[in-house]
Amino acid sequence: MEKLLIIALGFFAQGLFFIRTIAQWFKSEKEGEVISPVIYWQISLVASILMLTYGILRHDFAIVIGQSLVYGIYIRNLQLKNVWQKMHGMLKVLALAIPVVYWVWLLSSGNFAHILHNKTVSLFWMIWGTTAQIVFISRFFYQWIHSENKKESVFPLGFWIISTAGSLMIFTYSIARLDPVLFAAHSLGLFTYIRNIFLHYGKGSLFESLTKIPVLNKVIGKVSDKIK
């Protein structure tokens, strides 16, 4: 039962990650170019905390390191969007405190050493999984540097190329780890990463033909307007 609850938590976290990606893709298709909506970064922050929790409960070193490294970049993008400054003070304190509390607990309790020496994961797959996570989250460091130069939150082409490469690596890791959460997430995510690459090259919106149908045009417009 406990294992099922942990898997459910992981699916919920990855479900949120998938929703953020769909929201970004939908908005980008509507605009005909790659957009960085506020909701993408808001969902990222919540999902990252949940996924970090999942990684700790699964004793998965790769997930714990990956989520820890990228967390601050989500906050920085909210700052660039002028959203972080407007958030309630208590929410900001919780957002900053939770990862710190987790790491203090992991190091002081000895649980981090247990995660690092998880006997159910071979050395090869631990290295491969960690490398895959680092490649995957390095897209956010690339995006962050690019956004700082632009003085606004944007998604450069390299972000989606790195996303595709890292996702493929994690996909193979999920098979070795028999992890249904990672398997499902990276199976579904690859489409949006590749689609954003096409959008960067000006391939046009998939919604162009759909918006010619009055009913679908209204639906697409309403959904897109709700995505900031």
Side-chain angles (χ1 to χ4, degrees), residues 77 80 98 102 109 124 127-128 138 141 169 225:
N77 275 278
L80 289 170
I98 291 174
Y102 272 173
S109 65
F124 171 81
I127 293 173
W128 176 264
S138 68
F141 287 94
M169 292 177 69
D225 290 341

Side-chain angles (χ1 to χ4, degrees), residues 159-175:
F159 177 87
W160 303 110
I161 294 174
I162 297 171
S163 295
T164 302
S167 188
L168 285 170
M169 292 177 69
I170 295 176
F171 180 77
T172 60
Y173 174 71
S174 71
I175 296 173

